[in-house]
Amino acid sequence: ALPKATGKVALDKDYMSRIERLIIPKFRDLSSSWARGNIEKLYSLGIFEDASNMFSPNTPMQRYDFAIAVGKAIDLRVLEEEESKRKQPTTSIFKDVRKTTKDYNYLQSAYNKGVIFGTTPETFNPDGNLTRQQAAAILVRALGMETRAPDPGYMTTYADDAMIDDYARDGVYIVTELGLMSGDGDNFKPKDKLTRAQAAA
């Protein structure tokens, strides 16, 4: 026979995990946007941050905002403030981005890991826009999958494949295969500006 169990059960203890409600901002211009679910999810996760009540989904995505969002999405580890004072250079890695800019450490970490580059060795053009092929190349580098195309310069099945720059062709192929980006009909439209809605998706 088994020994009789002894002890006390605390019925007033709360053993359930705490469920915290994700904050989803109310945007006035997303009611008919195809990317509404993606956009709201990214805000609830803290990947996008904005105090405005307008998202402007069809506005071109800015380079700095995309770099920071990608850095947060792949959970780049940024240096703690005390460590950064000792190890980081006293000047910004780019002449046109101040070290005091919000989330600068994500940009530096993404740059150091080879995820994103400047428009020149000294400038980043933070307010500039991204093309769809640039976004594809960045996403693939962020995932560490830039060498996964069958061959360097692998041809895509898009009708406008010839318009894709050589540096981005592997990236476009990989993001298409992974379902991260898709074309518009038979075309990828690599030189079109990436919209904020497309960036969120």
Side-chain angles (χ1 to χ4, degrees), residues 67-106:
I68 301 309
V70 168
K72 290 181 177 181
I74 63 174
D75 198 24
L76 283 178
R77 297 288 186 253
V78 296
L79 296 171
E80 295 296 331
E81 185 63 28
E82 289 185 10
E83 274 192 59
S84 67
K85 287 179 181 177
R86 283 184 275 127
K87 294 184 179 180
Q88 291 183 19
T90 55
T91 58
S92 172
I93 51 177
F94 296 112
K95 287 184 176 179
D96 55 356
V97 181
R98 295 177 181 271
K99 284 190 68 174
T100 54
T101 304
K102 187 177 186 301
D103 293 324
Y104 169 83
N105 282 351
Y106 281 101

PDB file of all heavy atoms in Angstrom, residues 67-106:
ATOM      1  N   ALA A  67      15.688  50.213 -40.657  1.00  0.00           N
ATOM      2  CA  ALA A  67      16.851  49.609 -40.000  1.00  0.00           C
ATOM      3  C   ALA A  67      16.560  49.309 -38.535  1.00  0.00           C
ATOM      4  O   ALA A  67      16.892  48.233 -38.030  1.00  0.00           O
ATOM      5  CB  ALA A  67      18.064  50.529 -40.120  1.00  0.00           C
ATOM      6  N   ILE A  68      15.916  50.263 -37.855  1.00  0.00           N
ATOM      7  CA  ILE A  68      15.609  50.064 -36.435  1.00  0.00           C
ATOM      8  C   ILE A  68      14.577  48.959 -36.267  1.00  0.00           C
ATOM      9  O   ILE A  68      14.688  48.112 -35.376  1.00  0.00           O
ATOM     10  CB  ILE A  68      15.102  51.382 -35.800  1.00  0.00           C
ATOM     11  CG1 ILE A  68      16.156  52.483 -35.934  1.00  0.00           C
ATOM     12  CG2 ILE A  68      14.735  51.153 -34.339  1.00  0.00           C
ATOM     13  CD1 ILE A  68      17.544  52.117 -35.468  1.00  0.00           C
ATOM     14  N   ALA A  69      13.548  48.949 -37.114  1.00  0.00           N
ATOM     15  CA  ALA A  69      12.514  47.920 -37.021  1.00  0.00           C
ATOM     16  C   ALA A  69      13.098  46.528 -37.242  1.00  0.00           C
ATOM     17  O   ALA A  69      12.772  45.589 -36.508  1.00  0.00           O
ATOM     18  CB  ALA A  69      11.404  48.202 -38.030  1.00  0.00           C
ATOM     19  N   VAL A  70      13.971  46.390 -38.224  1.00  0.00           N
ATOM     20  CA  VAL A  70      14.605  45.098 -38.486  1.00  0.00           C
ATOM     21  C   VAL A  70      15.471  44.688 -37.298  1.00  0.00           C
ATOM     22  O   VAL A  70      15.453  43.539 -36.864  1.00  0.00           O
ATOM     23  CB  VAL A  70      15.431  45.143 -39.786  1.00  0.00           C
ATOM     24  CG1 VAL A  70      16.329  43.917 -39.905  1.00  0.00           C
ATOM     25  CG2 VAL A  70      14.513  45.226 -40.996  1.00  0.00           C
ATOM     26  N   GLY A  71      16.214  45.652 -36.749  1.00  0.00           N
ATOM     27  CA  GLY A  71      17.052  45.367 -35.585  1.00  0.00           C
ATOM     28  C   GLY A  71      16.240  44.858 -34.412  1.00  0.00           C
ATOM     29  O   GLY A  71      16.632  43.903 -33.734  1.00  0.00           O
ATOM     30  N   LYS A  72      15.086  45.469 -34.179  1.00  0.00           N
ATOM     31  CA  LYS A  72      14.222  45.030 -33.077  1.00  0.00           C
ATOM     32  C   LYS A  72      13.556  43.695 -33.387  1.00  0.00           C
ATOM     33  O   LYS A  72      13.401  42.843 -32.505  1.00  0.00           O
ATOM     34  CB  LYS A  72      13.163  46.095 -32.796  1.00  0.00           C
ATOM     35  CG  LYS A  72      13.729  47.361 -32.170  1.00  0.00           C
ATOM     36  CD  LYS A  72      12.643  48.376 -31.883  1.00  0.00           C
ATOM     37  CE  LYS A  72      13.209  49.608 -31.185  1.00  0.00           C
ATOM     38  NZ  LYS A  72      12.151  50.592 -30.882  1.00  0.00           N
ATOM     39  N   ALA A  73      13.159  43.507 -34.643  1.00  0.00           N
ATOM     40  CA  ALA A  73      12.461  42.280 -35.025  1.00  0.00           C
ATOM     41  C   ALA A  73      13.341  41.047 -34.874  1.00  0.00           C
ATOM     42  O   ALA A  73      12.870  39.987 -34.479  1.00  0.00           O
ATOM     43  CB  ALA A  73      11.953  42.393 -36.455  1.00  0.00           C
ATOM     44  N   ILE A  74      14.627  41.166 -35.181  1.00  0.00           N
ATOM     45  CA  ILE A  74      15.525  40.012 -35.050  1.00  0.00           C
ATOM     46  C   ILE A  74      16.210  39.996 -33.693  1.00  0.00           C
ATOM     47  O   ILE A  74      17.104  39.201 -33.441  1.00  0.00           O
ATOM     48  CB  ILE A  74      16.563  39.957 -36.185  1.00  0.00           C
ATOM     49  CG1 ILE A  74      17.486  41.182 -36.159  1.00  0.00           C
ATOM     50  CG2 ILE A  74      15.882  39.813 -37.533  1.00  0.00           C
ATOM     51  CD1 ILE A  74      18.620  41.108 -37.161  1.00  0.00           C
ATOM     52  N   ASP A  75      15.761  40.924 -32.821  1.00  0.00           N
ATOM     53  CA  ASP A  75      16.222  40.933 -31.430  1.00  0.00           C
ATOM     54  C   ASP A  75      17.726  41.098 -31.323  1.00  0.00           C
ATOM     55  O   ASP A  75      18.398  40.355 -30.613  1.00  0.00           O
ATOM     56  CB  ASP A  75      15.789  39.641 -30.725  1.00  0.00           C
ATOM     57  CG  ASP A  75      15.840  39.776 -29.200  1.00  0.00           C
ATOM     58  OD1 ASP A  75      15.764  40.914 -28.713  1.00  0.00           O
ATOM     59  OD2 ASP A  75      15.934  38.740 -28.516  1.00  0.00           O
ATOM     60  N   LEU A  76      18.253  42.084 -32.038  1.00  0.00           N
ATOM     61  CA  LEU A  76      19.677  42.385 -31.908  1.00  0.00           C
ATOM     62  C   LEU A  76      19.987  42.816 -30.479  1.00  0.00           C
ATOM     63  O   LEU A  76      19.255  43.598 -29.889  1.00  0.00           O
ATOM     64  CB  LEU A  76      20.077  43.518 -32.859  1.00  0.00           C
ATOM     65  CG  LEU A  76      20.243  43.167 -34.337  1.00  0.00           C
ATOM     66  CD1 LEU A  76      20.592  44.418 -35.114  1.00  0.00           C
ATOM     67  CD2 LEU A  76      21.331  42.126 -34.537  1.00  0.00           C
ATOM     68  N   ARG A  77      21.047  42.297 -29.943  1.00  0.00           N
ATOM     69  CA  ARG A  77      21.444  42.681 -28.593  1.00  0.00           C
ATOM     70  C   ARG A  77      22.251  43.977 -28.676  1.00  0.00           C
ATOM     71  O   ARG A  77      23.303  44.000 -29.292  1.00  0.00           O
ATOM     72  CB  ARG A  77      22.299  41.582 -27.954  1.00  0.00           C
ATOM     73  CG  ARG A  77      21.551  40.285 -27.779  1.00  0.00           C
ATOM     74  CD  ARG A  77      20.519  40.382 -26.679  1.00  0.00           C
ATOM     75  NE  ARG A  77      19.904  39.108 -26.405  1.00  0.00           N
ATOM     76  CZ  ARG A  77      18.681  38.778 -26.745  1.00  0.00           C
ATOM     77  NH1 ARG A  77      17.949  39.634 -27.419  1.00  0.00           N
ATOM     78  NH2 ARG A  77      18.170  37.617 -26.430  1.00  0.00           N
ATOM     79  N   VAL A  78      21.725  45.027 -28.083  1.00  0.00           N
ATOM     80  CA  VAL A  78      22.464  46.285 -28.092  1.00  0.00           C
ATOM     81  C   VAL A  78      23.227  46.416 -26.785  1.00  0.00           C
ATOM     82  O   VAL A  78      22.840  45.869 -25.756  1.00  0.00           O
ATOM     83  CB  VAL A  78      21.519  47.497 -28.285  1.00  0.00           C
ATOM     84  CG1 VAL A  78      20.844  47.422 -29.643  1.00  0.00           C
ATOM     85  CG2 VAL A  78      20.489  47.578 -27.187  1.00  0.00           C
ATOM     86  N   LEU A  79      24.328  47.124 -26.847  1.00  0.00           N
ATOM     87  CA  LEU A  79      25.184  47.256 -25.669  1.00  0.00           C
ATOM     88  C   LEU A  79      24.505  48.087 -24.592  1.00  0.00           C
ATOM     89  O   LEU A  79      23.777  49.032 -24.875  1.00  0.00           O
ATOM     90  CB  LEU A  79      26.501  47.931 -26.064  1.00  0.00           C
ATOM     91  CG  LEU A  79      27.382  47.149 -27.037  1.00  0.00           C
ATOM     92  CD1 LEU A  79      28.535  48.020 -27.498  1.00  0.00           C
ATOM     93  CD2 LEU A  79      27.897  45.883 -26.380  1.00  0.00           C
ATOM     94  N   GLU A  80      24.736  47.709 -23.352  1.00  0.00           N
ATOM     95  CA  GLU A  80      24.233  48.511 -22.243  1.00  0.00           C
ATOM     96  C   GLU A  80      24.931  49.857 -22.235  1.00  0.00           C
ATOM     97  O   GLU A  80      26.050  50.001 -22.718  1.00  0.00           O
ATOM     98  CB  GLU A  80      24.488  47.786 -20.902  1.00  0.00           C
ATOM     99  CG  GLU A  80      23.733  46.477 -20.754  1.00  0.00           C
ATOM    100  CD  GLU A  80      22.236  46.661 -20.728  1.00  0.00           C
ATOM    101  OE1 GLU A  80      21.791  47.730 -20.272  1.00  0.00           O
ATOM    102  OE2 GLU A  80      21.511  45.759 -21.179  1.00  0.00           O
ATOM    103  N   GLU A  81      24.296  50.847 -21.645  1.00  0.00           N
ATOM    104  CA  GLU A  81      24.817  52.210 -21.690  1.00  0.00           C
ATOM    105  C   GLU A  81      26.234  52.309 -21.121  1.00  0.00           C
ATOM    106  O   GLU A  81      27.099  52.929 -21.698  1.00  0.00           O
ATOM    107  CB  GLU A  81      23.878  53.145 -20.925  1.00  0.00           C
ATOM    108  CG  GLU A  81      24.258  54.617 -21.018  1.00  0.00           C
ATOM    109  CD  GLU A  81      24.191  55.135 -22.443  1.00  0.00           C
ATOM    110  OE1 GLU A  81      23.411  54.614 -23.233  1.00  0.00           O
ATOM    111  OE2 GLU A  81      24.957  56.067 -22.764  1.00  0.00           O
ATOM    112  N   GLU A  82      26.495  51.682 -19.976  1.00  0.00           N
ATOM    113  CA  GLU A  82      27.817  51.799 -19.366  1.00  0.00           C
ATOM    114  C   GLU A  82      28.883  51.155 -20.244  1.00  0.00           C
ATOM    115  O   GLU A  82      29.959  51.688 -20.412  1.00  0.00           O
ATOM    116  CB  GLU A  82      27.817  51.162 -17.969  1.00  0.00           C
ATOM    117  CG  GLU A  82      27.028  51.969 -16.950  1.00  0.00           C
ATOM    118  CD  GLU A  82      27.148  51.375 -15.556  1.00  0.00           C
ATOM    119  OE1 GLU A  82      27.991  50.477 -15.374  1.00  0.00           O
ATOM    120  OE2 GLU A  82      26.418  51.814 -14.676  1.00  0.00           O
ATOM    121  N   GLU A  83      28.565  49.978 -20.812  1.00  0.00           N
ATOM    122  CA  GLU A  83      29.518  49.314 -21.688  1.00  0.00           C
ATOM    123  C   GLU A  83      29.754  50.134 -22.939  1.00  0.00           C
ATOM    124  O   GLU A  83      30.873  50.246 -23.423  1.00  0.00           O
ATOM    125  CB  GLU A  83      28.987  47.933 -22.089  1.00  0.00           C
ATOM    126  CG  GLU A  83      29.311  46.844 -21.108  1.00  0.00           C
ATOM    127  CD  GLU A  83      29.017  45.487 -21.724  1.00  0.00           C
ATOM    128  OE1 GLU A  83      29.606  45.170 -22.773  1.00  0.00           O
ATOM    129  OE2 GLU A  83      28.204  44.767 -21.163  1.00  0.00           O
ATOM    130  N   SER A  84      28.687  50.719 -23.444  1.00  0.00           N
ATOM    131  CA  SER A  84      28.809  51.459 -24.699  1.00  0.00           C
ATOM    132  C   SER A  84      29.748  52.651 -24.544  1.00  0.00           C
ATOM    133  O   SER A  84      30.445  53.019 -25.467  1.00  0.00           O
ATOM    134  CB  SER A  84      27.428  51.918 -25.183  1.00  0.00           C
ATOM    135  OG  SER A  84      26.878  52.876 -24.302  1.00  0.00           O
ATOM    136  N   LYS A  85      29.755  53.258 -23.367  1.00  0.00           N
ATOM    137  CA  LYS A  85      30.644  54.399 -23.146  1.00  0.00           C
ATOM    138  C   LYS A  85      32.103  53.975 -23.196  1.00  0.00           C
ATOM    139  O   LYS A  85      32.966  54.726 -23.618  1.00  0.00           O
ATOM    140  CB  LYS A  85      30.337  55.049 -21.785  1.00  0.00           C
ATOM    141  CG  LYS A  85      29.032  55.829 -21.774  1.00  0.00           C
ATOM    142  CD  LYS A  85      28.768  56.426 -20.411  1.00  0.00           C
ATOM    143  CE  LYS A  85      27.449  57.179 -20.392  1.00  0.00           C
ATOM    144  NZ  LYS A  85      27.130  57.701 -19.052  1.00  0.00           N
ATOM    145  N   ARG A  86      32.362  52.717 -22.796  1.00  0.00           N
ATOM    146  CA  ARG A  86      33.743  52.250 -22.770  1.00  0.00           C
ATOM    147  C   ARG A  86      34.192  51.694 -24.125  1.00  0.00           C
ATOM    148  O   ARG A  86      35.310  51.876 -24.520  1.00  0.00           O
ATOM    149  CB  ARG A  86      33.892  51.147 -21.710  1.00  0.00           C
ATOM    150  CG  ARG A  86      33.955  51.695 -20.290  1.00  0.00           C
ATOM    151  CD  ARG A  86      34.191  50.582 -19.298  1.00  0.00           C
ATOM    152  NE  ARG A  86      32.948  49.936 -18.921  1.00  0.00           N
ATOM    153  CZ  ARG A  86      32.730  48.633 -18.987  1.00  0.00           C
ATOM    154  NH1 ARG A  86      33.654  47.826 -19.423  1.00  0.00           N
ATOM    155  NH2 ARG A  86      31.584  48.119 -18.626  1.00  0.00           N
ATOM    156  N   LYS A  87      33.282  51.013 -24.821  1.00  0.00           N
ATOM    157  CA  LYS A  87      33.696  50.268 -25.998  1.00  0.00           C
ATOM    158  C   LYS A  87      33.371  50.947 -27.319  1.00  0.00           C
ATOM    159  O   LYS A  87      34.026  50.686 -28.311  1.00  0.00           O
ATOM    160  CB  LYS A  87      33.043  48.888 -25.971  1.00  0.00           C
ATOM    161  CG  LYS A  87      33.531  48.023 -24.823  1.00  0.00           C
ATOM    162  CD  LYS A  87      32.930  46.643 -24.904  1.00  0.00           C
ATOM    163  CE  LYS A  87      33.441  45.758 -23.775  1.00  0.00           C
ATOM    164  NZ  LYS A  87      32.864  44.407 -23.825  1.00  0.00           N
ATOM    165  N   GLN A  88      32.322  51.746 -27.359  1.00  0.00           N
ATOM    166  CA  GLN A  88      31.942  52.354 -28.625  1.00  0.00           C
ATOM    167  C   GLN A  88      32.754  53.611 -28.897  1.00  0.00           C
ATOM    168  O   GLN A  88      33.187  54.284 -27.978  1.00  0.00           O
ATOM    169  CB  GLN A  88      30.452  52.716 -28.616  1.00  0.00           C
ATOM    170  CG  GLN A  88      29.534  51.517 -28.629  1.00  0.00           C
ATOM    171  CD  GLN A  88      28.082  51.942 -28.705  1.00  0.00           C
ATOM    172  OE1 GLN A  88      27.782  53.066 -29.088  1.00  0.00           O
ATOM    173  NE2 GLN A  88      27.194  51.074 -28.308  1.00  0.00           N
ATOM    174  N   PRO A  89      32.961  53.922 -30.171  1.00  0.00           N
ATOM    175  CA  PRO A  89      33.650  55.175 -30.484  1.00  0.00           C
ATOM    176  C   PRO A  89      32.809  56.361 -30.039  1.00  0.00           C
ATOM    177  O   PRO A  89      31.592  56.254 -29.896  1.00  0.00           O
ATOM    178  CB  PRO A  89      33.785  55.120 -32.013  1.00  0.00           C
ATOM    179  CG  PRO A  89      32.746  54.142 -32.462  1.00  0.00           C
ATOM    180  CD  PRO A  89      32.604  53.149 -31.350  1.00  0.00           C
ATOM    181  N   THR A  90      33.469  57.488 -29.815  1.00  0.00           N
ATOM    182  CA  THR A  90      32.754  58.660 -29.313  1.00  0.00           C
ATOM    183  C   THR A  90      31.941  59.338 -30.401  1.00  0.00           C
ATOM    184  O   THR A  90      31.070  60.131 -30.103  1.00  0.00           O
ATOM    185  CB  THR A  90      33.752  59.679 -28.719  1.00  0.00           C
ATOM    186  OG1 THR A  90      34.734  59.988 -29.718  1.00  0.00           O
ATOM    187  CG2 THR A  90      34.436  59.093 -27.494  1.00  0.00           C
ATOM    188  N   THR A  91      32.225  59.036 -31.671  1.00  0.00           N
ATOM    189  CA  THR A  91      31.477  59.631 -32.760  1.00  0.00           C
ATOM    190  C   THR A  91      30.580  58.581 -33.409  1.00  0.00           C
ATOM    191  O   THR A  91      30.819  57.381 -33.297  1.00  0.00           O
ATOM    192  CB  THR A  91      32.424  60.213 -33.825  1.00  0.00           C
ATOM    193  OG1 THR A  91      33.283  59.164 -34.308  1.00  0.00           O
ATOM    194  CG2 THR A  91      33.277  61.326 -33.243  1.00  0.00           C
ATOM    195  N   SER A  92      29.567  59.058 -34.101  1.00  0.00           N
ATOM    196  CA  SER A  92      28.640  58.165 -34.783  1.00  0.00           C
ATOM    197  C   SER A  92      29.343  57.458 -35.938  1.00  0.00           C
ATOM    198  O   SER A  92      30.306  57.959 -36.509  1.00  0.00           O
ATOM    199  CB  SER A  92      27.455  58.973 -35.307  1.00  0.00           C
ATOM    200  OG  SER A  92      26.635  58.175 -36.135  1.00  0.00           O
ATOM    201  N   ILE A  93      28.839  56.284 -36.292  1.00  0.00           N
ATOM    202  CA  ILE A  93      29.414  55.552 -37.417  1.00  0.00           C
ATOM    203  C   ILE A  93      29.092  56.250 -38.741  1.00  0.00           C
ATOM    204  O   ILE A  93      29.764  56.016 -39.740  1.00  0.00           O
ATOM    205  CB  ILE A  93      28.915  54.092 -37.452  1.00  0.00           C
ATOM    206  CG1 ILE A  93      27.383  54.033 -37.375  1.00  0.00           C
ATOM    207  CG2 ILE A  93      29.555  53.288 -36.356  1.00  0.00           C
ATOM    208  CD1 ILE A  93      26.826  52.631 -37.475  1.00  0.00           C
ATOM    209  N   PHE A  94      28.060  57.101 -38.750  1.00  0.00           N
ATOM    210  CA  PHE A  94      27.706  57.856 -39.939  1.00  0.00           C
ATOM    211  C   PHE A  94      27.630  59.343 -39.605  1.00  0.00           C
ATOM    212  O   PHE A  94      27.125  59.719 -38.555  1.00  0.00           O
ATOM    213  CB  PHE A  94      26.347  57.403 -40.488  1.00  0.00           C
ATOM    214  CG  PHE A  94      26.330  55.976 -40.955  1.00  0.00           C
ATOM    215  CD1 PHE A  94      25.590  55.017 -40.284  1.00  0.00           C
ATOM    216  CD2 PHE A  94      27.054  55.585 -42.077  1.00  0.00           C
ATOM    217  CE1 PHE A  94      25.564  53.702 -40.713  1.00  0.00           C
ATOM    218  CE2 PHE A  94      27.039  54.269 -42.510  1.00  0.00           C
ATOM    219  CZ  PHE A  94      26.293  53.324 -41.827  1.00  0.00           C
ATOM    220  N   LYS A  95      28.117  60.163 -40.526  1.00  0.00           N
ATOM    221  CA  LYS A  95      28.131  61.613 -40.290  1.00  0.00           C
ATOM    222  C   LYS A  95      26.737  62.212 -40.197  1.00  0.00           C
ATOM    223  O   LYS A  95      26.550  63.256 -39.574  1.00  0.00           O
ATOM    224  CB  LYS A  95      28.913  62.313 -41.412  1.00  0.00           C
ATOM    225  CG  LYS A  95      30.411  62.117 -41.347  1.00  0.00           C
ATOM    226  CD  LYS A  95      31.106  62.915 -42.430  1.00  0.00           C
ATOM    227  CE  LYS A  95      32.617  62.810 -42.305  1.00  0.00           C
ATOM    228  NZ  LYS A  95      33.310  63.576 -43.372  1.00  0.00           N
ATOM    229  N   ASP A  96      25.754  61.575 -40.835  1.00  0.00           N
ATOM    230  CA  ASP A  96      24.407  62.150 -40.876  1.00  0.00           C
ATOM    231  C   ASP A  96      23.426  61.506 -39.899  1.00  0.00           C
ATOM    232  O   ASP A  96      22.217  61.671 -40.011  1.00  0.00           O
ATOM    233  CB  ASP A  96      23.844  62.107 -42.302  1.00  0.00           C
ATOM    234  CG  ASP A  96      23.862  60.705 -42.910  1.00  0.00           C
ATOM    235  OD1 ASP A  96      24.382  59.778 -42.261  1.00  0.00           O
ATOM    236  OD2 ASP A  96      23.353  60.554 -44.033  1.00  0.00           O
ATOM    237  N   VAL A  97      23.951  60.748 -38.922  1.00  0.00           N
ATOM    238  CA  VAL A  97      23.107  60.182 -37.865  1.00  0.00           C
ATOM    239  C   VAL A  97      23.781  60.457 -36.526  1.00  0.00           C
ATOM    240  O   VAL A  97      24.896  59.978 -36.286  1.00  0.00           O
ATOM    241  CB  VAL A  97      22.895  58.661 -38.025  1.00  0.00           C
ATOM    242  CG1 VAL A  97      21.996  58.136 -36.899  1.00  0.00           C
ATOM    243  CG2 VAL A  97      22.298  58.331 -39.381  1.00  0.00           C
ATOM    244  N   ARG A  98      23.127  61.218 -35.676  1.00  0.00           N
ATOM    245  CA  ARG A  98      23.697  61.522 -34.355  1.00  0.00           C
ATOM    246  C   ARG A  98      23.614  60.304 -33.437  1.00  0.00           C
ATOM    247  O   ARG A  98      22.657  59.533 -33.502  1.00  0.00           O
ATOM    248  CB  ARG A  98      22.957  62.694 -33.708  1.00  0.00           C
ATOM    249  CG  ARG A  98      23.116  64.016 -34.437  1.00  0.00           C
ATOM    250  CD  ARG A  98      22.275  65.079 -33.731  1.00  0.00           C
ATOM    251  NE  ARG A  98      22.365  66.361 -34.398  1.00  0.00           N
ATOM    252  CZ  ARG A  98      23.287  67.277 -34.119  1.00  0.00           C
ATOM    253  NH1 ARG A  98      24.180  67.040 -33.167  1.00  0.00           N
ATOM    254  NH2 ARG A  98      23.320  68.422 -34.768  1.00  0.00           N
ATOM    255  N   LYS A  99      24.605  60.172 -32.554  1.00  0.00           N
ATOM    256  CA  LYS A  99      24.575  59.077 -31.582  1.00  0.00           C
ATOM    257  C   LYS A  99      23.427  59.224 -30.594  1.00  0.00           C
ATOM    258  O   LYS A  99      23.013  58.246 -29.980  1.00  0.00           O
ATOM    259  CB  LYS A  99      25.901  59.009 -30.811  1.00  0.00           C
ATOM    260  CG  LYS A  99      27.033  58.414 -31.614  1.00  0.00           C
ATOM    261  CD  LYS A  99      28.236  58.139 -30.748  1.00  0.00           C
ATOM    262  CE  LYS A  99      27.927  57.024 -29.787  1.00  0.00           C
ATOM    263  NZ  LYS A  99      29.093  56.587 -29.000  1.00  0.00           N
ATOM    264  N   THR A 100      22.912  60.446 -30.469  1.00  0.00           N
ATOM    265  CA  THR A 100      21.812  60.690 -29.544  1.00  0.00           C
ATOM    266  C   THR A 100      20.445  60.411 -30.170  1.00  0.00           C
ATOM    267  O   THR A 100      19.423  60.508 -29.497  1.00  0.00           O
ATOM    268  CB  THR A 100      21.846  62.152 -29.058  1.00  0.00           C
ATOM    269  OG1 THR A 100      21.861  63.017 -30.207  1.00  0.00           O
ATOM    270  CG2 THR A 100      23.088  62.414 -28.219  1.00  0.00           C
ATOM    271  N   THR A 101      20.434  60.039 -31.459  1.00  0.00           N
ATOM    272  CA  THR A 101      19.165  59.722 -32.121  1.00  0.00           C
ATOM    273  C   THR A 101      18.538  58.504 -31.454  1.00  0.00           C
ATOM    274  O   THR A 101      19.228  57.547 -31.100  1.00  0.00           O
ATOM    275  CB  THR A 101      19.397  59.430 -33.624  1.00  0.00           C
ATOM    276  OG1 THR A 101      20.049  60.549 -34.216  1.00  0.00           O
ATOM    277  CG2 THR A 101      18.082  59.175 -34.334  1.00  0.00           C
ATOM    278  N   LYS A 102      17.206  58.544 -31.282  1.00  0.00           N
ATOM    279  CA  LYS A 102      16.499  57.442 -30.627  1.00  0.00           C
ATOM    280  C   LYS A 102      16.815  56.100 -31.312  1.00  0.00           C
ATOM    281  O   LYS A 102      16.774  55.994 -32.523  1.00  0.00           O
ATOM    282  CB  LYS A 102      14.988  57.702 -30.678  1.00  0.00           C
ATOM    283  CG  LYS A 102      14.166  56.707 -29.876  1.00  0.00           C
ATOM    284  CD  LYS A 102      12.704  57.111 -29.928  1.00  0.00           C
ATOM    285  CE  LYS A 102      11.844  56.247 -29.022  1.00  0.00           C
ATOM    286  NZ  LYS A 102      11.896  54.831 -29.328  1.00  0.00           N
ATOM    287  N   ASP A 103      17.143  55.115 -30.515  1.00  0.00           N
ATOM    288  CA  ASP A 103      17.431  53.749 -30.971  1.00  0.00           C
ATOM    289  C   ASP A 103      18.701  53.635 -31.818  1.00  0.00           C
ATOM    290  O   ASP A 103      18.875  52.674 -32.570  1.00  0.00           O
ATOM    291  CB  ASP A 103      16.240  53.166 -31.750  1.00  0.00           C
ATOM    292  CG  ASP A 103      15.027  52.937 -30.864  1.00  0.00           C
ATOM    293  OD1 ASP A 103      15.211  52.551 -29.692  1.00  0.00           O
ATOM    294  OD2 ASP A 103      13.893  53.144 -31.340  1.00  0.00           O
ATOM    295  N   TYR A 104      19.604  54.600 -31.683  1.00  0.00           N
ATOM    296  CA  TYR A 104      20.855  54.574 -32.456  1.00  0.00           C
ATOM    297  C   TYR A 104      21.608  53.253 -32.280  1.00  0.00           C
ATOM    298  O   TYR A 104      22.210  52.742 -33.226  1.00  0.00           O
ATOM    299  CB  TYR A 104      21.756  55.744 -32.044  1.00  0.00           C
ATOM    300  CG  TYR A 104      23.161  55.635 -32.585  1.00  0.00           C
ATOM    301  CD1 TYR A 104      23.466  56.057 -33.881  1.00  0.00           C
ATOM    302  CD2 TYR A 104      24.193  55.084 -31.814  1.00  0.00           C
ATOM    303  CE1 TYR A 104      24.756  55.934 -34.392  1.00  0.00           C
ATOM    304  CE2 TYR A 104      25.481  54.954 -32.324  1.00  0.00           C
ATOM    305  CZ  TYR A 104      25.749  55.382 -33.608  1.00  0.00           C
ATOM    306  OH  TYR A 104      27.025  55.254 -34.111  1.00  0.00           O
ATOM    307  N   ASN A 105      21.585  52.682 -31.077  1.00  0.00           N
ATOM    308  CA  ASN A 105      22.331  51.446 -30.829  1.00  0.00           C
ATOM    309  C   ASN A 105      21.877  50.291 -31.723  1.00  0.00           C
ATOM    310  O   ASN A 105      22.667  49.407 -32.054  1.00  0.00           O
ATOM    311  CB  ASN A 105      22.220  51.034 -29.354  1.00  0.00           C
ATOM    312  CG  ASN A 105      23.143  51.855 -28.468  1.00  0.00           C
ATOM    313  OD1 ASN A 105      23.978  52.611 -28.965  1.00  0.00           O
ATOM    314  ND2 ASN A 105      22.993  51.723 -27.169  1.00  0.00           N
ATOM    315  N   TYR A 106      20.583  50.297 -32.098  1.00  0.00           N
ATOM    316  CA  TYR A 106      20.108  49.259 -33.020  1.00  0.00           C
ATOM    317  C   TYR A 106      20.739  49.427 -34.396  1.00  0.00           C
ATOM    318  O   TYR A 106      21.075  48.454 -35.060  1.00  0.00           O
ATOM    319  CB  TYR A 106      18.586  49.294 -33.130  1.00  0.00           C
ATOM    320  CG  TYR A 106      17.888  48.643 -31.966  1.00  0.00           C
ATOM    321  CD1 TYR A 106      17.337  49.397 -30.937  1.00  0.00           C
ATOM    322  CD2 TYR A 106      17.776  47.254 -31.893  1.00  0.00           C
ATOM    323  CE1 TYR A 106      16.704  48.794 -29.864  1.00  0.00           C
ATOM    324  CE2 TYR A 106      17.138  46.637 -30.822  1.00  0.00           C
ATOM    325  CZ  TYR A 106      16.610  47.418 -29.812  1.00  0.00           C
ATOM    326  OH  TYR A 106      15.981  46.809 -28.755  1.00  0.00           O
TER     327      TYR A 106
END
